Amino acid sequence: MLSPQGLSAEGTQIGWHPSSVPHQPHGRQSQPRYGQKKVEGKVAYHRTEQRVINAVREMRANGLTLRAIASCLGEMKIPTKCRGKKWHPEMVKRILEQMFAAISLIQGRAKSNR
């Protein structure tokens, strides 16, 4: 007999629900982030993409919206990480978030080494 909580009368779980699984990152784990590339199995900086990241940072600092930055990158024919895909505001947001996370990590390491 089943109970409303998804347990059998013996107390064993019989079903699976997505909310019971801890959060896992989305996307392909094997693909490096924008601004990085894999060289012989190790992550290295992708210089061209690093220049794009710097340009995105400057555009955002000058007050452009995520949508405007994505449009600008598309008009300039700058390829995305997945070649052929269109730039979206969410992609620009992720690039900025990754950049700020990296800066925070570096600053945190510098503080802990003092």
Side-chain angles (χ1 to χ4, degrees), residues 1-22:
M1 179 167 179
L2 299 176
S3 68
Q5 293 82 18
L7 300 176
S8 67
E10 295 80 33
T12 58
Q13 185 174 0
I14 57 164
W16 176 84
H17 192 271
S19 65
S20 64
V21 177

Side-chain angles (χ1 to χ4, degrees), residues 36 45 50 57 97-114:
Q36 299 176 340
Y45 287 110
Q50 288 294 324
R57 188 187 74 227
E97 287 174 347
Q98 291 169 6
M99 182 191 67
F100 289 123
I103 290 170
S104 297
L105 180 66
I106 291 168
Q107 288 176 345
R109 286 183 185 166
K111 287 180 183 178
S112 66
N113 290 336
R114 291 182 186 173

Side-chain angles (χ1 to χ4, degrees), residues 23-53:
H23 174 71
Q24 297 294 321
H26 300 287
R28 292 181 10 198
Q29 295 299 311
S30 60
Q31 182 176 347
R33 295 178 178 205
Y34 197 84
Q36 299 176 340
K37 63 182 177 179
K38 281 195 174 181
V39 178
E40 298 176 8
K42 295 184 180 182
V43 177
Y45 287 110
H46 192 292
R47 290 182 184 164
T48 305
E49 290 179 358
Q50 288 294 324
R51 288 194 297 255
V52 173
I53 291 171

